[in-house]
Amino acid sequence: MIDPTAAPTVKQLALLSIPAIVIGAVSALVLWLLDVGAGWLQDQLWTELPALVGATGSTPWWIILMMTLVGAAVGLVAQFMPGHAGPDSAIGGLEGPPPPIAVLPSLLIAVVIGLAGGVSLGPENPIMAINGALAVAALARLSNVVPPRLVVLLSAAGTLGALFGTPVGAALVLTGMVAAVKAGGSLWDRMFLPLASAGAGAITMHVLGAPTLAFDVEPMKEVDGFDLLSGFLIAAVAAVAAIAIAWAFPYVHRAFHALKYPIVFTTLGGLVLGVLGAIGGPITMFKGLEETGELISDPGAYTVPQLAMFAVVKLIALLVAASAGFRGGRIFPIVFVGVAIGLVGHGLFPDVPLSLAIASGVLGTVLVGTRDGWMALFVAAILVGDPLVLPLLCLIIVPVWLIVTKAPALELEAPEAPAPTPPAPAESPRQ
């Protein structure tokens, strides 16, 4: 058994890098299979089926009908299937213990239905839970060699590397977690295995041909004081918009769950999402990665009012989806909102460089959505791929964090377990 308080030896790191790489590659493969399955089902629901009745995936009545049916399907899984679709994704962030293995079938089905059906949530929370549970179960017999806690960490690193297409994001997210653990060796000794897993996950996704989070954006040519001010204003507006739904989150979640039965509140949530989808169009539906690419690839195709409408509809759709019992994460949808707000800023003030406007909007929304400055800086910078933007973002994030730090978070805390009732004192025997 590895002593977690002792500094790892070179031999230990070299040997453990083998399971770390395997875990990262398998985590990416599971994510890819999930995306492929959801993509196939999405094609059936939004291309093949509507064509049979003379509609398209953009037809308003089809959007409302299909989203309502998607909500009902997820509700059936959550209410009646063993495992009940796993824990509520609204509670907590990316970290957390993996669920029991028996929960995974229902969780997988609920996630695939939601991703394919147009729900405004990403796969990040469920896929990290799924990969963590699979890794722990697969390596249970090797617990004396690879501790379960390390297995979960390696699975999380591999999944993050696969999600973002680079191990850098996983390293930034996990550095704080790893640094907080009391263990021997330097920080980089402790980061060695997670980086190996994250690198394997990222490379596996590239080999499989999965889309990345990076897009081609016209880079900045020079930097001046106006850029710093305009970037801060866009990021601040984006952060305040995300804080607004974070403030409403517990109230909306409580209202949906007051209906008690998942089949009821997820069906209602699907209906609301359908109405929102009919208003905003397909670009405001689904997890948001491909739709983000649509916005960035041709920013001039939409007017400022249209872009503002996209941002508002997506924010409300994210709030409803996260509150109504659907399973999924909030990072990819909140990135779409940040891009839309950044494009609004660029549309109103064309002198603001496009890459800075987009990155600043994403910085503000992701900072609220994750409460992680490293994650916000990473996602904003990699999205536009402009080296001149990064130093500006490092300055912009400082005042924006003052807006975010005491504001409501875009996640709910798990309810505290009731304190055990003390046993009644025993009666003294009668004299």
Side-chain angles (χ1 to χ4, degrees), residues 2-411:
I2 297 175
D3 182 3
T5 63
T9 65
V10 172
K11 181 179 179 180
Q12 286 175 330
L13 291 176
L15 290 176
L16 287 174
S17 65
I18 298 174
I21 291 171
V22 172
I23 289 172
V26 173
S27 297
L29 179 61
V30 174
L31 172 62
W32 181 78
L33 290 173
L34 180 72
D35 283 340
V36 169
W40 177 86
L41 183 58
Q42 178 179 331
D43 185 60
Q44 303 306 306
L45 298 180
W46 297 100
T47 303
E48 301 297 331
L49 283 179
L52 296 178
V53 293
T56 69
S58 303
T59 305
W61 68 262
W62 181 263
I63 293 176
I64 296 172
L65 172 63
M66 185 51 58
M67 292 299 302
T68 304
L69 294 176
V70 164
V74 172
L76 286 170
V77 172
Q79 183 159 341
F80 297 111
M81 193 170 176
H84 303 288
D88 187 352
S89 297
I91 297 173
L94 294 176
E95 69 282 348
I101 198 75
V103 168
L104 299 194
S106 62
L107 178 57
L108 270 169
I109 292 173
V111 173
V112 169
I113 293 173
L115 290 173
V119 176
S120 290
L121 292 174
E124 56 273 20
N125 293 56
I127 194 61
M128 290 188 72
I130 291 167
N131 280 338
L134 290 175
V136 170
L139 298 179
R141 294 186 178 181
L142 300 177
S143 59
N144 288 334
V145 179
V146 188
R149 187 173 183 178
L150 177 59
V151 172
V152 174
L153 179 63
L154 295 178
S155 173
T159 306
L160 286 170
L163 280 166
F164 296 124
T166 170
V168 177
L172 292 173
V173 173
L174 296 175
T175 295
M177 296 169 55
V178 172
V181 176
K182 292 183 179 180
S186 68
L187 175 62
W188 278 95
D189 281 334
R190 287 175 271 166
M191 286 298 300
F192 179 86
L193 296 174
L195 270 178
S197 181
I203 291 172
T204 301
M205 290 300 280
H206 285 303
V207 170
L208 293 171
T212 67
L213 195 61
F215 299 97
D216 292 328
V217 182
E218 182 182 355
M220 298 179 63
K221 295 181 174 58
E222 57 184 6
V223 177
D224 57 33
F226 173 76
D227 295 330
L228 191 61
L229 176 61
S230 58
F232 163 70
L233 292 175
I234 292 173
V237 170
V240 170
I243 289 171
I245 66 164
W247 173 85
F249 197 6
Y251 302 102
V252 178
H253 185 273
R254 193 178 306 129
F256 273 107
H257 285 256
L259 299 174
K260 296 185 180 179
Y261 302 105
I263 184 63
V264 176
F265 58 73
T266 56
T267 302
L268 177 60
L271 173 61
V272 176
L273 291 176
V275 173
L276 290 169
I279 295 171
I283 198 170
T284 61
M285 299 164 57
F286 304 97
K287 67 181 179 182
L289 180 58
E290 292 81 5
E291 293 72 25
T292 295
E294 287 183 39
L295 289 182
I296 293 177
S297 64
D298 191 5
Y302 308 100
T303 64
V304 168
Q306 282 179 312
L307 292 167
M309 184 266 291
F310 292 161
V312 171
V313 169
K314 191 69 171 182
L315 277 171
I316 299 173
L318 170 58
L319 174 62
V320 172
S323 301
F326 294 96
R327 302 301 191 256
R330 298 172 286 277
I331 294 178
F332 287 105
I334 208 72
V335 168
F336 175 91
V337 174
V339 170
I341 293 175
L343 291 176
V344 169
H346 177 72
L348 292 174
F349 305 100
D351 289 339
V352 179
L354 181 62
S355 60
L356 176 63
I358 292 173
S360 298
V362 171
L363 178 76
T365 55
V366 175
L367 195 60
V368 176
T370 64
R371 287 307 178 92
D372 190 316
W374 289 125
M375 174 73 84
L377 285 169
F378 164 74
V379 173
I382 197 174
L383 195 72
V384 298
D386 185 352
L388 280 182
V389 166
L390 184 56
L392 288 171
L393 294 179
C394 290
L395 293 176
I396 291 168
I397 197 173
V398 176
V400 176
W401 178 250
L402 298 179
I403 300 173
V404 172
T405 181
K406 298 302 180 182
L410 195 55
E411 63 184 52

